[in-house]
Amino acid sequence: MTEVDITADGPSKGEFRDVMGRFASGVTVITTRIDGEDLGAAASAVSSLSDEPPSLLICLNVTSTTAQAIVKTGAFAVNVLAEDSAPIAQRFASKAPDKFASIAFERGRTGAPLISGSIAHFECVVDETVRGGTHYVFLARVVNVASTPGNPLAYFRGSFGRMETAPDAAALHAVRDYVVGTVSDVAVPLDAESIAAELEIEVGRSYQALVALVGEGLVRRTGATFEVEPVPDQVIFDYYAAKLAIEIGAAAQTVGSLDTEQLAELRRLLEVTLAHSVDGQFGDPAGWIRANAAFHEYLVSLAGSTILMETYKGLRLPAMEQRSISQSTRATGQLHEDHRTIVEGYEAGDVELVLRTLTAHARRPQETRAAAASAS
């Protein structure tokens, strides 16, 4: 067995608190009642202990009047705060003389206050009290519970905030498709319940997906309200970078190995894109998007990998472009020239030419936006 040198210096108080602060936890308010007075303290040190019998433990500083009262009463309640309850958490983390002033609550079985708006309540009676350093550790049986829908308030590195959960992958894809491809009016709010009903997914997963899309820059969030955002340039550039990586991989495998029919189909798809004028402006944005998508998807399909093709289509680039390209969008005839050069490179078996042109082609949106910005 490996021996540990327990005589070595441990972390300082500041180091310990800094590193522990990186552990995100939920926020609760521990409440009790003694001699006709309601007491409460904010706490994140709450943990399930057993489910038979239902038990939990909490830790409170020995100097806390709430902790001292629990030692005497042997009863308390744990109120799990909702994500919009940061003011309540701050109030009970302070030394305010009357923390319950203006706080709505009900009286629980043990007499402890149950704070309204909390997403969960645990009413407890103490089985054992242990002194651990600067804190009391109360081991308690749960005698009553209640819960309501909602998301918890989180505590991380000294700050309160929302605790976001990862959305179901399938739900995230479905909601992203809905936001990118279906919703076109940036002034229309996004309703998680309506989206869930239309996509036949759970409301909670719809909500979590919208939260995730806020991080992607596709959705704006104000409080509990979500709205479609105009697609940020950086989001578009990131999508095109992913597109380029896939196309380069496919081209590296296929240039120089296509048969006559495949080369003919590639040239046919090129001619379709040439039918859409993009010199200065997109005359037919929808037509260009369809033709351009067909051309590039065919390039990827030549690799013969179903997984690669599904990954490429999963970028939903045509839907993204519907949000970002209109008749007023600046365009360049260089897009046509890139397509011609790519096809010529495939026909000549010149892989370096194809890779170089694909790379330049992926930069066109960024170059066009930079030119538009400098001209305005």
Side-chain angles (χ1 to χ4, degrees):
M1 184 175 69
T2 303
E3 294 186 0
V4 179
D5 182 7
I6 60 175
T7 63
D9 291 338
S12 67
K13 178 180 177 181
E15 290 173 330
F16 176 73
R17 294 185 66 176
D18 176 66
V19 176
M20 278 302 299
R22 298 170 191 273
F23 175 70
S25 59
V27 182
T28 72
V29 171
I30 310 301
T31 56
T32 192
R33 183 173 177 81
I34 185 171
D35 299 331
E37 182 183 6
D38 293 316
L39 299 170
S44 57
V46 176
S47 176
S48 171
L49 184 61
S50 167
D51 57 9
E52 191 175 327
S55 306
L56 53 73
L57 68 80
I58 66 169
C59 300
L60 290 172
N61 196 290
V62 296
T63 63
S64 163
T65 55
T66 301
Q68 295 167 7
I70 293 173
V71 170
K72 296 177 181 177
T73 65
F76 62 87
V78 178
N79 302 268
V80 181
L81 298 186
E83 63 179 357
D84 58 355
S85 300
I88 294 177
Q90 291 164 346
R91 184 176 186 85
F92 281 92
S94 72
K95 297 186 181 297
D98 185 4
K99 296 178 182 178
F100 284 89
S102 75
I103 298 294
F105 66 88
E106 299 177 356
R107 191 71 61 191
R109 254 185 223 179
T110 67
L114 305 180
I115 298 174
S116 300
S118 298
I119 63 173
H121 301 288
F122 299 86
E123 296 182 70
C124 308
V125 293
V126 177
D127 280 338
E128 186 177 353
T129 302
V130 180
R131 174 74 180 262
T134 58
H135 283 63
Y136 284 125
V137 180
F138 297 103
L139 312 180
R141 272 180 299 112
V142 179
V143 297
N144 194 39
V145 296
S147 65
T148 57
N151 294 314
L153 180 67
Y155 185 72
F156 179 71
R157 300 197 71 182
S159 300
F160 297 112
R162 293 182 172 88
M163 182 179 290
E164 311 293 13
T165 55
D168 175 86
L172 177 58
H173 281 305
V175 176
R176 184 189 288 114
D177 284 351
Y178 176 88
V179 169
V180 172
T182 304
V183 180
S184 58
D185 189 343
V186 298
V188 175
L190 296 169
D191 179 69
E193 292 188 7
S194 298
I195 293 174
E198 181 166 343
L199 301 180
E200 298 182 346
I201 60 177
E202 295 177 5
V203 174
R205 289 178 175 174
S206 172
Y207 179 87
Q208 292 168 8
L210 288 174
V211 170
L213 294 181
V214 172
E216 293 185 18
L218 297 177
V219 173
R220 177 175 61 250
R221 179 178 183 177
T222 305
T225 302
F226 297 93
E227 291 183 346
V228 177
E229 280 276 60
V231 181
D233 284 351
Q234 189 54 55
V235 171
I236 295 172
F237 302 154
D238 287 346
Y239 273 75
Y240 276 105
K243 168 182 179 288
L244 173 63
I246 295 172
E247 291 180 350
I248 282 181
Q253 296 179 52
T254 58
V255 174
S257 63
L258 302 190
D259 59 32
T260 303
E261 291 184 2
Q262 290 171 320
L263 290 172
E265 177 62 11
L266 188 58
R267 180 158 285 280
R268 185 190 71 80
L269 291 170
L270 162 66
E271 297 299 332
V272 176
T273 67
L274 297 180
H276 298 278
S277 175
V278 291
D279 192 8
Q281 289 184 326
F282 290 97
D284 178 9
W288 163 257
I289 291 169
R290 287 193 301 271
N292 185 57
F295 177 80
H296 286 275
E297 287 177 8
Y298 187 69
L299 292 180
V300 176
S301 73
L302 292 171
S305 169
T306 301
I307 294 176
L308 190 67
M309 194 65 213
E310 288 180 351
T311 302
Y312 188 79
K313 288 185 175 181
L315 294 173
R316 275 68 173 179
L317 287 167
M320 178 70 69
E321 290 174 338
Q322 288 172 16
R323 290 271 307 279
S324 61
I325 295 177
S326 67
Q327 288 187 336
S328 62
T329 304
R330 288 177 59 88
T332 171
Q334 187 62 52
L335 294 172
H336 284 333
E337 294 306 314
D338 289 342
H339 284 183
R340 284 196 184 94
T341 304
I342 290 168
V343 173
E344 289 169 359
Y346 268 91
E347 292 171 336
D350 188 341
V351 66
E352 293 300 325
L353 175 61
V354 172
L355 298 184
R356 187 168 61 250
T357 308
L358 284 172
T359 301
H361 189 65
R363 290 199 299 263
R364 302 301 179 204
Q366 192 165 358
E367 293 171 352
T368 301
R369 283 165 173 75
S374 63
S376 61

